[in-house]
Amino acid sequence: MLARFFTVLLIAVLLPHTCAAETDRDTVYQVSTLAALLDGHYDGETTLHSLRGKGDFGIGTFEGLDGEMILLDGIFYQARADGSVVKPDDSLKTPFACVTRFDADHELPLAEDTNYEALKRQLDRKFATKGLPYAIRVKGTFKQIRVRSVPAQKKPYPRLTEVVKQQPVFDYENVEGTLVGFCLPPSLEGVNVPGYHLHLISKDTKKGGHLLAFTLAEGTVQVDDSPEVRLAFSAAAARAGLGVQKAKREEIERVEKEEE
Ligand SMILES: [Zn+2]
C-alpha cells in the first residue's frame, strides 16, 4: 500500500515537470526590452551562467554594450568592437538578450549567391507565418559577409542611436560559419526588433558580429518554430524611467537594420 502511494506521488510530481521541460524548448526567453536598450540601459541584468539555463542558442549584447553576443550550442561568444571574438566569463552580465533551445523544425538548402534579402524572401514564403516568432540558424560558407559590432560605453550612457554612429563595420570573404538569430513578428516591435535579426560566428570562432549583408557560396537554413515568448522586464531600467515608452520605429531601424 505504501509502495503504491509512493508510485502515485512520484508520477504526480514528475509529470508536470516533464511537460514543462518540453514546452520550454519552444520558448524564447528575453532579458529586458529593446526600448530600454535604446534609452541607454546597458547595465547588466542577468549573468551568462543564468541565461544558459534558459537556452543554448541566441543573441544579445553585454554589460556596458561591450560587443555583440552569440550563443551557439550552449557556448557564448563576444564579438567586440576591435573585431576580435572572445569567450566571455560566465559571471559577465547582459542588459539585453534573446535565447531559446534550438530544435530544427524545418530545413532548406540555400542556392549559391543567396543574399540576405533573398534569404528573407525565401523564409517568408516558406515558413514564416507573419505574427509568430521563429529562431533561425544558417550554416554555410559565405563568399562575402558584412558585420558590425558596438564599442563598450562608459557612464553616463548615451542613447543607442548615438553609439551606432561609431559602429565599426567588418567585411570578410570566404568565411565558413553560422548565423544565429530570430525572426520576430511586428507585434513585438519595441519589445525587440521586428523581422530578421542575425549574428555571425565563424567556424574558427575568430570572426563575428551583427549581420548587415552577405552573399552565400553554399549553405542550409534551419527554422525552429518558437511560439512562446517569456520576457523578463528590467526593474532597474523601469526605476530609472528607461524603456518606459514604446520604442520609435525610426530608432529601431537606425540601430538594427541599416548601416550608417
Ligand atoms: Zn544584433
Side-chain angles (χ1 to χ4, degrees):
M1 193 62 207
L2 196 63
R4 185 174 297 167
F5 172 74
F6 271 119
T7 312
V8 172
L9 190 71
L10 203 66
I11 290 169
V13 171
L14 283 179
L15 251 179
H17 187 76
T18 313
C19 292
E22 278 170 14
T23 313
D24 273 0
R25 294 200 65 85
D26 280 340
T27 301
V28 175
Y29 180 85
Q30 187 177 318
V31 176
S32 191
T33 63
L34 182 65
L37 195 74
L38 279 165
D39 278 352
H41 183 70
Y42 311 145
D43 281 341
E45 285 288 326
T46 306
T47 64
L48 301 188
H49 177 78
S50 139
L51 192 59
R52 195 183 283 109
K54 312 289 187 190
D56 55 16
F57 176 96
I59 55 177
T61 185
F62 298 93
E63 172 124 37
L65 211 66
D66 191 7
E68 308 279 353
M69 174 199 291
I70 303 103
L71 172 62
L72 180 61
D73 297 329
I75 300 171
F76 283 100
Y77 303 94
Q78 182 176 12
R80 307 187 73 181
D82 63 358
S84 67
V85 176
V86 295
K87 284 186 187 161
D89 195 87
D90 253 19
S91 63
L92 194 64
K93 287 182 172 178
T94 172
F96 180 72
C98 202
V99 303
T100 188
R101 294 182 206 285
F102 194 92
D103 304 303
D105 294 316
H106 318 276
E107 188 171 312
L108 194 73
L110 296 169
E112 187 179 356
D113 292 329
T114 297
N115 61 18
Y116 200 2
E117 291 311 311
L119 173 74
K120 291 177 193 175
R121 278 199 304 273
Q122 216 168 328
L123 288 175
D124 283 346
R125 249 198 331 263
K126 192 102 183 164
F127 311 111
T129 306
K130 289 261 190 243
L132 291 176
Y134 300 87
I136 311 273
R137 177 163 69 185
V138 178
K139 214 172 158 187
T141 304
F142 302 87
K143 287 182 179 176
Q144 281 125 15
I145 191 157
R146 170 172 287 193
V147 294
R148 73 110 204 263
S149 187
V150 277
Q153 300 299 306
K154 288 197 175 69
K155 291 190 177 188
Y157 292 138
R159 289 184 66 73
L160 192 54
T161 43
E162 291 304 308
V163 176
V164 295
K165 285 180 183 166
Q166 339 133 29
Q167 65 181 19
V169 172
F170 303 95
D171 284 299
Y172 301 117
E173 290 184 351
N174 301 316
V175 176
E176 205 180 338
T178 304
L179 301 176
V180 171
F182 296 89
C183 176
L184 298 176
S187 57
L188 286 179
E189 182 180 272
V191 172
N192 204 314
V193 182
Y196 293 85
H197 182 184
L198 298 168
H199 288 185
L200 165 77
I201 181 70
S202 65
K203 195 181 177 195
D204 63 10
T205 74
K206 289 186 173 143
K207 303 177 183 79
H210 172 103
L211 178 72
L212 295 173
F214 70 81
T215 308
L216 200 71
E218 53 88 27
T220 312
V221 59
Q222 293 180 324
V223 177
D224 179 14
D225 300 332
S226 309
E228 291 185 31
V229 177
R230 205 174 141 205
L231 174 61
F233 280 91
S234 163
R239 273 197 300 275
L242 303 173
V244 175
Q245 301 302 325
K246 192 173 185 243
K248 293 191 183 76
R249 179 170 299 176
E250 57 271 25
E251 288 204 332
I252 298 173
E253 286 181 356
R254 237 186 299 160
V255 298
E256 295 293 344
K257 301 264 168 93
E258 305 296 326
E259 36 189 307
E260 291 292 314

